[in-house]
Amino acid sequence: MKHTTSRSSDLSDAFVNISFEEVPNKHSGSSSEQSAVSKDKEQSGKSKDKDAVYTDWKEEHSHEAVDPGLAFSNILRKKYAGWSLVRVTQPFFFPIHGYPELVMRPIPEETMDSSIAAFIPFARKSGRVGGVLAEMVSLGGFLCAWKSWDFLVYEAVYPMGMFKEQGLWVVHQGPPEPIYQLLTTVGSWGQELHDEVLVYDQGWWQKDASLYQEIQKADWKDVILKDQFKKAIRSSIIDFFKNKAVYKELQVPWKRGLIFYGPAGNGKTVSLKAAMHDTDNPILYVRTLTNYRGDEAAMADIFGMARRFSPCILVLEDIDSHINERNRSFFLNQLDGLDDNDGILLIATTNHLERLDNSVSNRPSRFDRKYLFDDPDEAERRLYCTYWQKKLEHNDKVSFPDSLADEIAKESDTLSFAYLKEAFVSTLVLMATEDIDFAETLKAQVKELKDQIRERPPHVSAINPGSVRCASSGELAATRELLQRLSGGEIQKGLSTNCIMPSANTGLRRWI
């Protein structure tokens, strides 16, 4: 480092002096009166009470405040006269502590005020004991080196009105251009994905490294579907990113939409993970549209980020739970309106395609391909049995001949892949605790699961799970009588007693 440390003094003292500045009061008295008040303060300070810590804090933090960040900038300009100074008001966009090419160490003479913000325990399944302490710097200064330049970086969290603000100050002995280059580089690095998936949840974008690691475990060999079907899905995704020039030559927008639909438990999610593993392009995953500014703001955030990261994959799982009558028009406008969506491959999944409006699911240029993940036929169930045969071939306790695989594939009609997996897993769990026969137990598990499907409650529709059951006239009469008793009078006339259904506007039940 090239810096001398003679200019650096105790940072905490400097910041306390400027955190809250006294502003002249237009109602203040004469100079003699102010002098008398000062003498009174000096005398009272000589005999502090037993709550000295609280008294000191109250005296230092009860003044009328101006901008502490600007005052701190002025102090740094005086300390480092002739040096370049840049103040950053939103350090969130400049993660200097994570940037790997920036060498940092604390300034020896400055007081480092840091606090433990959180404790993150290791997952129990990792077998490790303990966890990680998340530390937050409230006040500190650092000597930094990047390329051939040296910098001083100061950080501080300070009160500003009713809230707290975080500030970052970068000082350089020379022209300001190296500071701007450093901030631009760090800001760009912070906006990139580094073995991460960008997840939108609760109104915010967050980088998720654990989800990225889960995607890396996915492989098409673990997806039990017919080869032709898997090849069609893979081609739709791979060819999209390869054929940008073809789209431009044909003068058509370089964007596509795919829908994976069908009953639950038939491979949509695992196929989605395998598809995401296939690409090196950024992945943006939408978990919810919940946003304090509303669904429209969430959609604007989502597509705005996708346009910035394009070419990319944008994933909307369970799209039928996100798109409704109220926000559908705005969604369609974002999907194929005037904005440029070049390079965005949108993949949506749903268990209930019938719940989506035709303007979403059946309009070309919005979702161009729909892939049905239906309950497996006998050939696919046989493929699934073959998959388990290979997994268990080295297990001496399990005898799994081809004849048993053929029998299970034939007898497991009406079962989804998820139910088939449950049959195999429950059989192996029972074998681990009891001395039982694999073949007989597996067949018994298949029969039991089929019986469970047959015993579904009569009001649950297997064909259209989204249908709403109408209440009987007796139920409605009893409900009307209860409401009348609670209200102490007659219920308003003109209410239909045909059906009770959810309200799209309030999320509550209402009479229609």
Side-chain angles (χ1 to χ4, degrees), residues 325-358:
E325 290 185 5
R326 185 177 55 80
N327 62 26
R328 184 173 61 241
S329 61
F330 192 86
F331 172 74
L332 297 177
N333 180 265
Q334 290 290 324
L335 194 61
D336 60 358
L338 298 177
D339 291 302
D340 182 9
N341 287 337
D342 272 10
I344 299 178
L345 175 63
L346 175 60
I347 303 179
T349 68
T350 177
N351 296 337
H352 307 288
L353 186 66
E354 73 280 357
R355 294 182 183 178
L356 288 176
D357 190 83
N358 284 332

PDB file of all heavy atoms in Angstrom, residues 325-358:
ATOM      1  N   GLU A 325     -58.150 -12.822 -13.549  1.00  0.00           N
ATOM      2  CA  GLU A 325     -58.887 -11.875 -14.388  1.00  0.00           C
ATOM      3  C   GLU A 325     -58.418 -10.444 -14.170  1.00  0.00           C
ATOM      4  O   GLU A 325     -58.414  -9.635 -15.095  1.00  0.00           O
ATOM      5  CB  GLU A 325     -60.378 -11.979 -14.094  1.00  0.00           C
ATOM      6  CG  GLU A 325     -61.022 -13.271 -14.570  1.00  0.00           C
ATOM      7  CD  GLU A 325     -62.521 -13.265 -14.353  1.00  0.00           C
ATOM      8  OE1 GLU A 325     -63.038 -12.215 -13.921  1.00  0.00           O
ATOM      9  OE2 GLU A 325     -63.163 -14.291 -14.638  1.00  0.00           O
ATOM     10  N   ARG A 326     -58.009 -10.123 -12.942  1.00  0.00           N
ATOM     11  CA  ARG A 326     -57.645  -8.750 -12.628  1.00  0.00           C
ATOM     12  C   ARG A 326     -56.309  -8.346 -13.246  1.00  0.00           C
ATOM     13  O   ARG A 326     -56.155  -7.221 -13.719  1.00  0.00           O
ATOM     14  CB  ARG A 326     -57.596  -8.561 -11.107  1.00  0.00           C
ATOM     15  CG  ARG A 326     -57.337  -7.127 -10.684  1.00  0.00           C
ATOM     16  CD  ARG A 326     -57.381  -7.007  -9.178  1.00  0.00           C
ATOM     17  NE  ARG A 326     -56.457  -7.923  -8.532  1.00  0.00           N
ATOM     18  CZ  ARG A 326     -55.149  -7.693  -8.416  1.00  0.00           C
ATOM     19  NH1 ARG A 326     -54.620  -6.586  -8.919  1.00  0.00           N
ATOM     20  NH2 ARG A 326     -54.368  -8.547  -7.824  1.00  0.00           N
ATOM     21  N   ASN A 327     -55.345  -9.260 -13.265  1.00  0.00           N
ATOM     22  CA  ASN A 327     -54.011  -8.871 -13.742  1.00  0.00           C
ATOM     23  C   ASN A 327     -53.669  -9.435 -15.117  1.00  0.00           C
ATOM     24  O   ASN A 327     -52.575  -9.222 -15.619  1.00  0.00           O
ATOM     25  CB  ASN A 327     -52.934  -9.298 -12.737  1.00  0.00           C
ATOM     26  CG  ASN A 327     -52.873 -10.809 -12.528  1.00  0.00           C
ATOM     27  OD1 ASN A 327     -53.248 -11.594 -13.401  1.00  0.00           O
ATOM     28  ND2 ASN A 327     -52.381 -11.231 -11.376  1.00  0.00           N
ATOM     29  N   ARG A 328     -54.630 -10.164 -15.724  1.00  0.00           N
ATOM     30  CA  ARG A 328     -54.316 -10.855 -16.982  1.00  0.00           C
ATOM     31  C   ARG A 328     -53.952  -9.884 -18.105  1.00  0.00           C
ATOM     32  O   ARG A 328     -52.994 -10.110 -18.853  1.00  0.00           O
ATOM     33  CB  ARG A 328     -55.505 -11.721 -17.412  1.00  0.00           C
ATOM     34  CG  ARG A 328     -55.211 -12.542 -18.674  1.00  0.00           C
ATOM     35  CD  ARG A 328     -56.340 -13.511 -18.975  1.00  0.00           C
ATOM     36  NE  ARG A 328     -57.589 -12.830 -19.217  1.00  0.00           N
ATOM     37  CZ  ARG A 328     -58.685 -13.001 -18.490  1.00  0.00           C
ATOM     38  NH1 ARG A 328     -58.683 -13.820 -17.463  1.00  0.00           N
ATOM     39  NH2 ARG A 328     -59.798 -12.329 -18.782  1.00  0.00           N
ATOM     40  N   SER A 329     -54.693  -8.795 -18.250  1.00  0.00           N
ATOM     41  CA  SER A 329     -54.423  -7.872 -19.362  1.00  0.00           C
ATOM     42  C   SER A 329     -53.030  -7.261 -19.234  1.00  0.00           C
ATOM     43  O   SER A 329     -52.318  -7.080 -20.233  1.00  0.00           O
ATOM     44  CB  SER A 329     -55.493  -6.778 -19.417  1.00  0.00           C
ATOM     45  OG  SER A 329     -55.494  -6.019 -18.211  1.00  0.00           O
ATOM     46  N   PHE A 330     -52.632  -6.936 -18.010  1.00  0.00           N
ATOM     47  CA  PHE A 330     -51.292  -6.371 -17.822  1.00  0.00           C
ATOM     48  C   PHE A 330     -50.225  -7.415 -18.126  1.00  0.00           C
ATOM     49  O   PHE A 330     -49.182  -7.098 -18.713  1.00  0.00           O
ATOM     50  CB  PHE A 330     -51.135  -5.851 -16.392  1.00  0.00           C
ATOM     51  CG  PHE A 330     -49.904  -5.007 -16.193  1.00  0.00           C
ATOM     52  CD1 PHE A 330     -49.920  -3.648 -16.464  1.00  0.00           C
ATOM     53  CD2 PHE A 330     -48.725  -5.575 -15.742  1.00  0.00           C
ATOM     54  CE1 PHE A 330     -48.781  -2.873 -16.292  1.00  0.00           C
ATOM     55  CE2 PHE A 330     -47.580  -4.811 -15.566  1.00  0.00           C
ATOM     56  CZ  PHE A 330     -47.610  -3.454 -15.846  1.00  0.00           C
ATOM     57  N   PHE A 331     -50.476  -8.670 -17.737  1.00  0.00           N
ATOM     58  CA  PHE A 331     -49.531  -9.747 -18.037  1.00  0.00           C
ATOM     59  C   PHE A 331     -49.363  -9.913 -19.546  1.00  0.00           C
ATOM     60  O   PHE A 331     -48.243 -10.048 -20.060  1.00  0.00           O
ATOM     61  CB  PHE A 331     -50.023 -11.049 -17.411  1.00  0.00           C
ATOM     62  CG  PHE A 331     -49.236 -12.269 -17.809  1.00  0.00           C
ATOM     63  CD1 PHE A 331     -47.971 -12.498 -17.284  1.00  0.00           C
ATOM     64  CD2 PHE A 331     -49.764 -13.179 -18.713  1.00  0.00           C
ATOM     65  CE1 PHE A 331     -47.243 -13.619 -17.653  1.00  0.00           C
ATOM     66  CE2 PHE A 331     -49.050 -14.303 -19.080  1.00  0.00           C
ATOM     67  CZ  PHE A 331     -47.786 -14.525 -18.551  1.00  0.00           C
ATOM     68  N   LEU A 332     -50.473  -9.908 -20.275  1.00  0.00           N
ATOM     69  CA  LEU A 332     -50.405 -10.054 -21.726  1.00  0.00           C
ATOM     70  C   LEU A 332     -49.680  -8.882 -22.366  1.00  0.00           C
ATOM     71  O   LEU A 332     -48.948  -9.048 -23.351  1.00  0.00           O
ATOM     72  CB  LEU A 332     -51.817 -10.190 -22.306  1.00  0.00           C
ATOM     73  CG  LEU A 332     -52.603 -11.434 -21.862  1.00  0.00           C
ATOM     74  CD1 LEU A 332     -54.011 -11.411 -22.438  1.00  0.00           C
ATOM     75  CD2 LEU A 332     -51.878 -12.705 -22.289  1.00  0.00           C
ATOM     76  N   ASN A 333     -49.873  -7.689 -21.812  1.00  0.00           N
ATOM     77  CA  ASN A 333     -49.166  -6.525 -22.338  1.00  0.00           C
ATOM     78  C   ASN A 333     -47.665  -6.650 -22.139  1.00  0.00           C
ATOM     79  O   ASN A 333     -46.876  -6.280 -23.018  1.00  0.00           O
ATOM     80  CB  ASN A 333     -49.691  -5.258 -21.646  1.00  0.00           C
ATOM     81  CG  ASN A 333     -48.994  -4.005 -22.137  1.00  0.00           C
ATOM     82  OD1 ASN A 333     -48.025  -3.550 -21.538  1.00  0.00           O
ATOM     83  ND2 ASN A 333     -49.489  -3.444 -23.234  1.00  0.00           N
ATOM     84  N   GLN A 334     -47.270  -7.183 -20.986  1.00  0.00           N
ATOM     85  CA  GLN A 334     -45.841  -7.402 -20.742  1.00  0.00           C
ATOM     86  C   GLN A 334     -45.295  -8.521 -21.628  1.00  0.00           C
ATOM     87  O   GLN A 334     -44.142  -8.488 -22.062  1.00  0.00           O
ATOM     88  CB  GLN A 334     -45.604  -7.757 -19.266  1.00  0.00           C
ATOM     89  CG  GLN A 334     -45.834  -6.616 -18.303  1.00  0.00           C
ATOM     90  CD  GLN A 334     -44.759  -5.543 -18.422  1.00  0.00           C
ATOM     91  OE1 GLN A 334     -43.594  -5.829 -18.650  1.00  0.00           O
ATOM     92  NE2 GLN A 334     -45.162  -4.292 -18.266  1.00  0.00           N
ATOM     93  N   LEU A 335     -46.154  -9.498 -21.904  1.00  0.00           N
ATOM     94  CA  LEU A 335     -45.714 -10.675 -22.658  1.00  0.00           C
ATOM     95  C   LEU A 335     -45.470 -10.372 -24.125  1.00  0.00           C
ATOM     96  O   LEU A 335     -44.451 -10.783 -24.696  1.00  0.00           O
ATOM     97  CB  LEU A 335     -46.755 -11.786 -22.498  1.00  0.00           C
ATOM     98  CG  LEU A 335     -46.344 -13.198 -22.912  1.00  0.00           C
ATOM     99  CD1 LEU A 335     -45.168 -13.663 -22.075  1.00  0.00           C
ATOM    100  CD2 LEU A 335     -47.524 -14.150 -22.742  1.00  0.00           C
ATOM    101  N   ASP A 336     -46.374  -9.642 -24.749  1.00  0.00           N
ATOM    102  CA  ASP A 336     -46.194  -9.364 -26.185  1.00  0.00           C
ATOM    103  C   ASP A 336     -46.682  -7.963 -26.549  1.00  0.00           C
ATOM    104  O   ASP A 336     -47.279  -7.757 -27.607  1.00  0.00           O
ATOM    105  CB  ASP A 336     -46.879 -10.420 -27.055  1.00  0.00           C
ATOM    106  CG  ASP A 336     -48.384 -10.499 -26.814  1.00  0.00           C
ATOM    107  OD1 ASP A 336     -48.895  -9.759 -25.946  1.00  0.00           O
ATOM    108  OD2 ASP A 336     -49.032 -11.295 -27.482  1.00  0.00           O
ATOM    109  N   GLY A 337     -46.440  -7.000 -25.665  1.00  0.00           N
ATOM    110  CA  GLY A 337     -46.804  -5.623 -25.965  1.00  0.00           C
ATOM    111  C   GLY A 337     -45.728  -4.932 -26.775  1.00  0.00           C
ATOM    112  O   GLY A 337     -45.023  -5.545 -27.596  1.00  0.00           O
ATOM    113  N   LEU A 338     -45.575  -3.646 -26.533  1.00  0.00           N
ATOM    114  CA  LEU A 338     -44.621  -2.857 -27.309  1.00  0.00           C
ATOM    115  C   LEU A 338     -43.182  -3.032 -26.833  1.00  0.00           C
ATOM    116  O   LEU A 338     -42.251  -2.708 -27.573  1.00  0.00           O
ATOM    117  CB  LEU A 338     -45.004  -1.374 -27.236  1.00  0.00           C
ATOM    118  CG  LEU A 338     -46.380  -1.006 -27.810  1.00  0.00           C
ATOM    119  CD1 LEU A 338     -46.646   0.481 -27.604  1.00  0.00           C
ATOM    120  CD2 LEU A 338     -46.460  -1.374 -29.294  1.00  0.00           C
ATOM    121  N   ASP A 339     -42.993  -3.544 -25.625  1.00  0.00           N
ATOM    122  CA  ASP A 339     -41.635  -3.693 -25.105  1.00  0.00           C
ATOM    123  C   ASP A 339     -40.894  -4.802 -25.841  1.00  0.00           C
ATOM    124  O   ASP A 339     -41.489  -5.780 -26.320  1.00  0.00           O
ATOM    125  CB  ASP A 339     -41.666  -4.001 -23.608  1.00  0.00           C
ATOM    126  CG  ASP A 339     -42.154  -2.816 -22.799  1.00  0.00           C
ATOM    127  OD1 ASP A 339     -41.539  -1.750 -22.899  1.00  0.00           O
ATOM    128  OD2 ASP A 339     -43.158  -2.971 -22.085  1.00  0.00           O
ATOM    129  N   ASP A 340     -39.582  -4.669 -25.882  1.00  0.00           N
ATOM    130  CA  ASP A 340     -38.719  -5.620 -26.579  1.00  0.00           C
ATOM    131  C   ASP A 340     -38.408  -6.798 -25.655  1.00  0.00           C
ATOM    132  O   ASP A 340     -37.720  -6.641 -24.654  1.00  0.00           O
ATOM    133  CB  ASP A 340     -37.424  -4.928 -27.004  1.00  0.00           C
ATOM    134  CG  ASP A 340     -36.498  -5.852 -27.775  1.00  0.00           C
ATOM    135  OD1 ASP A 340     -36.930  -6.964 -28.121  1.00  0.00           O
ATOM    136  OD2 ASP A 340     -35.345  -5.454 -28.030  1.00  0.00           O
ATOM    137  N   ASN A 341     -38.934  -7.978 -26.012  1.00  0.00           N
ATOM    138  CA  ASN A 341     -38.685  -9.181 -25.219  1.00  0.00           C
ATOM    139  C   ASN A 341     -37.729 -10.136 -25.922  1.00  0.00           C
ATOM    140  O   ASN A 341     -37.728 -11.339 -25.647  1.00  0.00           O
ATOM    141  CB  ASN A 341     -40.000  -9.910 -24.921  1.00  0.00           C
ATOM    142  CG  ASN A 341     -40.835  -9.185 -23.888  1.00  0.00           C
ATOM    143  OD1 ASN A 341     -40.309  -8.411 -23.086  1.00  0.00           O
ATOM    144  ND2 ASN A 341     -42.139  -9.404 -23.908  1.00  0.00           N
ATOM    145  N   ASP A 342     -36.906  -9.630 -26.816  1.00  0.00           N
ATOM    146  CA  ASP A 342     -35.959 -10.479 -27.525  1.00  0.00           C
ATOM    147  C   ASP A 342     -35.064 -11.219 -26.541  1.00  0.00           C
ATOM    148  O   ASP A 342     -34.541 -10.638 -25.573  1.00  0.00           O
ATOM    149  CB  ASP A 342     -35.091  -9.646 -28.472  1.00  0.00           C
ATOM    150  CG  ASP A 342     -35.745  -9.493 -29.841  1.00  0.00           C
ATOM    151  OD1 ASP A 342     -36.923  -9.867 -29.971  1.00  0.00           O
ATOM    152  OD2 ASP A 342     -35.076  -9.000 -30.765  1.00  0.00           O
ATOM    153  N   GLY A 343     -34.883 -12.505 -26.804  1.00  0.00           N
ATOM    154  CA  GLY A 343     -33.972 -13.319 -26.004  1.00  0.00           C
ATOM    155  C   GLY A 343     -34.597 -13.928 -24.773  1.00  0.00           C
ATOM    156  O   GLY A 343     -33.904 -14.606 -24.010  1.00  0.00           O
ATOM    157  N   ILE A 344     -35.906 -13.741 -24.561  1.00  0.00           N
ATOM    158  CA  ILE A 344     -36.566 -14.284 -23.363  1.00  0.00           C
ATOM    159  C   ILE A 344     -37.301 -15.576 -23.740  1.00  0.00           C
ATOM    160  O   ILE A 344     -38.188 -15.572 -24.586  1.00  0.00           O
ATOM    161  CB  ILE A 344     -37.558 -13.282 -22.755  1.00  0.00           C
ATOM    162  CG1 ILE A 344     -36.835 -12.003 -22.335  1.00  0.00           C
ATOM    163  CG2 ILE A 344     -38.282 -13.909 -21.571  1.00  0.00           C
ATOM    164  CD1 ILE A 344     -37.751 -10.936 -21.774  1.00  0.00           C
ATOM    165  N   LEU A 345     -36.899 -16.672 -23.111  1.00  0.00           N
ATOM    166  CA  LEU A 345     -37.608 -17.940 -23.245  1.00  0.00           C
ATOM    167  C   LEU A 345     -38.419 -18.146 -21.969  1.00  0.00           C
ATOM    168  O   LEU A 345     -37.852 -18.365 -20.891  1.00  0.00           O
ATOM    169  CB  LEU A 345     -36.626 -19.098 -23.439  1.00  0.00           C
ATOM    170  CG  LEU A 345     -37.247 -20.499 -23.483  1.00  0.00           C
ATOM    171  CD1 LEU A 345     -38.188 -20.638 -24.672  1.00  0.00           C
ATOM    172  CD2 LEU A 345     -36.174 -21.575 -23.531  1.00  0.00           C
ATOM    173  N   LEU A 346     -39.738 -18.037 -22.071  1.00  0.00           N
ATOM    174  CA  LEU A 346     -40.628 -18.166 -20.920  1.00  0.00           C
ATOM    175  C   LEU A 346     -41.119 -19.607 -20.827  1.00  0.00           C
ATOM    176  O   LEU A 346     -41.701 -20.137 -21.775  1.00  0.00           O
ATOM    177  CB  LEU A 346     -41.810 -17.213 -21.055  1.00  0.00           C
ATOM    178  CG  LEU A 346     -42.898 -17.295 -19.983  1.00  0.00           C
ATOM    179  CD1 LEU A 346     -42.325 -16.997 -18.598  1.00  0.00           C
ATOM    180  CD2 LEU A 346     -44.034 -16.332 -20.296  1.00  0.00           C
ATOM    181  N   ILE A 347     -40.861 -20.252 -19.689  1.00  0.00           N
ATOM    182  CA  ILE A 347     -41.340 -21.615 -19.447  1.00  0.00           C
ATOM    183  C   ILE A 347     -42.295 -21.562 -18.263  1.00  0.00           C
ATOM    184  O   ILE A 347     -41.915 -21.148 -17.160  1.00  0.00           O
ATOM    185  CB  ILE A 347     -40.185 -22.589 -19.146  1.00  0.00           C
ATOM    186  CG1 ILE A 347     -39.162 -22.583 -20.288  1.00  0.00           C
ATOM    187  CG2 ILE A 347     -40.725 -23.999 -18.936  1.00  0.00           C
ATOM    188  CD1 ILE A 347     -37.979 -23.511 -20.039  1.00  0.00           C
ATOM    189  N   ALA A 348     -43.521 -21.977 -18.498  1.00  0.00           N
ATOM    190  CA  ALA A 348     -44.536 -21.987 -17.448  1.00  0.00           C
ATOM    191  C   ALA A 348     -44.996 -23.414 -17.205  1.00  0.00           C
ATOM    192  O   ALA A 348     -44.962 -24.259 -18.108  1.00  0.00           O
ATOM    193  CB  ALA A 348     -45.724 -21.108 -17.839  1.00  0.00           C
ATOM    194  N   THR A 349     -45.416 -23.687 -15.975  1.00  0.00           N
ATOM    195  CA  THR A 349     -45.972 -25.005 -15.647  1.00  0.00           C
ATOM    196  C   THR A 349     -47.335 -24.808 -14.993  1.00  0.00           C
ATOM    197  O   THR A 349     -47.597 -23.786 -14.363  1.00  0.00           O
ATOM    198  CB  THR A 349     -45.061 -25.784 -14.680  1.00  0.00           C
ATOM    199  OG1 THR A 349     -45.052 -25.138 -13.398  1.00  0.00           O
ATOM    200  CG2 THR A 349     -43.646 -25.872 -15.215  1.00  0.00           C
ATOM    201  N   THR A 350     -48.191 -25.802 -15.143  1.00  0.00           N
ATOM    202  CA  THR A 350     -49.501 -25.759 -14.499  1.00  0.00           C
ATOM    203  C   THR A 350     -50.067 -27.166 -14.403  1.00  0.00           C
ATOM    204  O   THR A 350     -49.869 -27.995 -15.306  1.00  0.00           O
ATOM    205  CB  THR A 350     -50.484 -24.855 -15.266  1.00  0.00           C
ATOM    206  OG1 THR A 350     -51.771 -24.912 -14.627  1.00  0.00           O
ATOM    207  CG2 THR A 350     -50.648 -25.280 -16.706  1.00  0.00           C
ATOM    208  N   ASN A 351     -50.761 -27.419 -13.321  1.00  0.00           N
ATOM    209  CA  ASN A 351     -51.512 -28.674 -13.183  1.00  0.00           C
ATOM    210  C   ASN A 351     -52.924 -28.544 -13.730  1.00  0.00           C
ATOM    211  O   ASN A 351     -53.620 -29.548 -13.875  1.00  0.00           O
ATOM    212  CB  ASN A 351     -51.593 -29.083 -11.701  1.00  0.00           C
ATOM    213  CG  ASN A 351     -50.232 -29.405 -11.110  1.00  0.00           C
ATOM    214  OD1 ASN A 351     -49.295 -29.733 -11.824  1.00  0.00           O
ATOM    215  ND2 ASN A 351     -50.127 -29.306  -9.794  1.00  0.00           N
ATOM    216  N   HIS A 352     -53.350 -27.309 -14.024  1.00  0.00           N
ATOM    217  CA  HIS A 352     -54.733 -27.062 -14.432  1.00  0.00           C
ATOM    218  C   HIS A 352     -54.741 -26.087 -15.609  1.00  0.00           C
ATOM    219  O   HIS A 352     -54.998 -24.894 -15.429  1.00  0.00           O
ATOM    220  CB  HIS A 352     -55.543 -26.499 -13.267  1.00  0.00           C
ATOM    221  CG  HIS A 352     -55.467 -27.323 -12.015  1.00  0.00           C
ATOM    222  ND1 HIS A 352     -56.081 -28.544 -11.896  1.00  0.00           N
ATOM    223  CD2 HIS A 352     -54.823 -27.108 -10.836  1.00  0.00           C
ATOM    224  CE1 HIS A 352     -55.841 -29.052 -10.698  1.00  0.00           C
ATOM    225  NE2 HIS A 352     -55.081 -28.200 -10.033  1.00  0.00           N
ATOM    226  N   LEU A 353     -54.487 -26.590 -16.774  1.00  0.00           N
ATOM    227  CA  LEU A 353     -54.481 -25.734 -17.958  1.00  0.00           C
ATOM    228  C   LEU A 353     -55.851 -25.115 -18.202  1.00  0.00           C
ATOM    229  O   LEU A 353     -55.951 -23.991 -18.722  1.00  0.00           O
ATOM    230  CB  LEU A 353     -54.051 -26.549 -19.185  1.00  0.00           C
ATOM    231  CG  LEU A 353     -53.864 -25.772 -20.483  1.00  0.00           C
ATOM    232  CD1 LEU A 353     -52.691 -24.807 -20.380  1.00  0.00           C
ATOM    233  CD2 LEU A 353     -53.657 -26.726 -21.666  1.00  0.00           C
ATOM    234  N   GLU A 354     -56.906 -25.813 -17.791  1.00  0.00           N
ATOM    235  CA  GLU A 354     -58.262 -25.311 -18.035  1.00  0.00           C
ATOM    236  C   GLU A 354     -58.555 -24.036 -17.253  1.00  0.00           C
ATOM    237  O   GLU A 354     -59.487 -23.307 -17.582  1.00  0.00           O
ATOM    238  CB  GLU A 354     -59.299 -26.395 -17.687  1.00  0.00           C
ATOM    239  CG  GLU A 354     -59.493 -26.666 -16.201  1.00  0.00           C
ATOM    240  CD  GLU A 354     -58.412 -27.562 -15.600  1.00  0.00           C
ATOM    241  OE1 GLU A 354     -57.532 -28.016 -16.357  1.00  0.00           O
ATOM    242  OE2 GLU A 354     -58.464 -27.806 -14.374  1.00  0.00           O
ATOM    243  N   ARG A 355     -57.769 -23.743 -16.228  1.00  0.00           N
ATOM    244  CA  ARG A 355     -57.982 -22.524 -15.455  1.00  0.00           C
ATOM    245  C   ARG A 355     -57.402 -21.290 -16.139  1.00  0.00           C
ATOM    246  O   ARG A 355     -57.727 -20.170 -15.754  1.00  0.00           O
ATOM    247  CB  ARG A 355     -57.350 -22.679 -14.069  1.00  0.00           C
ATOM    248  CG  ARG A 355     -58.015 -23.730 -13.199  1.00  0.00           C
ATOM    249  CD  ARG A 355     -57.366 -23.785 -11.828  1.00  0.00           C
ATOM    250  NE  ARG A 355     -57.952 -24.834 -10.999  1.00  0.00           N
ATOM    251  CZ  ARG A 355     -57.549 -25.137  -9.762  1.00  0.00           C
ATOM    252  NH1 ARG A 355     -56.557 -24.440  -9.224  1.00  0.00           N
ATOM    253  NH2 ARG A 355     -58.116 -26.104  -9.081  1.00  0.00           N
ATOM    254  N   LEU A 356     -56.553 -21.494 -17.113  1.00  0.00           N
ATOM    255  CA  LEU A 356     -55.966 -20.363 -17.820  1.00  0.00           C
ATOM    256  C   LEU A 356     -56.908 -19.882 -18.916  1.00  0.00           C
ATOM    257  O   LEU A 356     -57.529 -20.692 -19.617  1.00  0.00           O
ATOM    258  CB  LEU A 356     -54.624 -20.761 -18.446  1.00  0.00           C
ATOM    259  CG  LEU A 356     -53.452 -20.981 -17.482  1.00  0.00           C
ATOM    260  CD1 LEU A 356     -52.233 -21.463 -18.257  1.00  0.00           C
ATOM    261  CD2 LEU A 356     -53.128 -19.701 -16.738  1.00  0.00           C
ATOM    262  N   ASP A 357     -57.007 -18.591 -19.068  1.00  0.00           N
ATOM    263  CA  ASP A 357     -57.822 -18.019 -20.128  1.00  0.00           C
ATOM    264  C   ASP A 357     -57.222 -18.360 -21.486  1.00  0.00           C
ATOM    265  O   ASP A 357     -56.001 -18.485 -21.637  1.00  0.00           O
ATOM    266  CB  ASP A 357     -57.897 -16.505 -19.963  1.00  0.00           C
ATOM    267  CG  ASP A 357     -58.919 -15.882 -20.882  1.00  0.00           C
ATOM    268  OD1 ASP A 357     -60.110 -15.891 -20.523  1.00  0.00           O
ATOM    269  OD2 ASP A 357     -58.511 -15.396 -21.960  1.00  0.00           O
ATOM    270  N   ASN A 358     -58.096 -18.522 -22.491  1.00  0.00           N
ATOM    271  CA  ASN A 358     -57.613 -18.862 -23.833  1.00  0.00           C
ATOM    272  C   ASN A 358     -56.662 -17.812 -24.389  1.00  0.00           C
ATOM    273  O   ASN A 358     -55.778 -18.124 -25.195  1.00  0.00           O
ATOM    274  CB  ASN A 358     -58.798 -19.029 -24.792  1.00  0.00           C
ATOM    275  CG  ASN A 358     -59.529 -20.338 -24.581  1.00  0.00           C
ATOM    276  OD1 ASN A 358     -58.922 -21.315 -24.142  1.00  0.00           O
ATOM    277  ND2 ASN A 358     -60.818 -20.364 -24.876  1.00  0.00           N
TER     278      ASN A 358
END
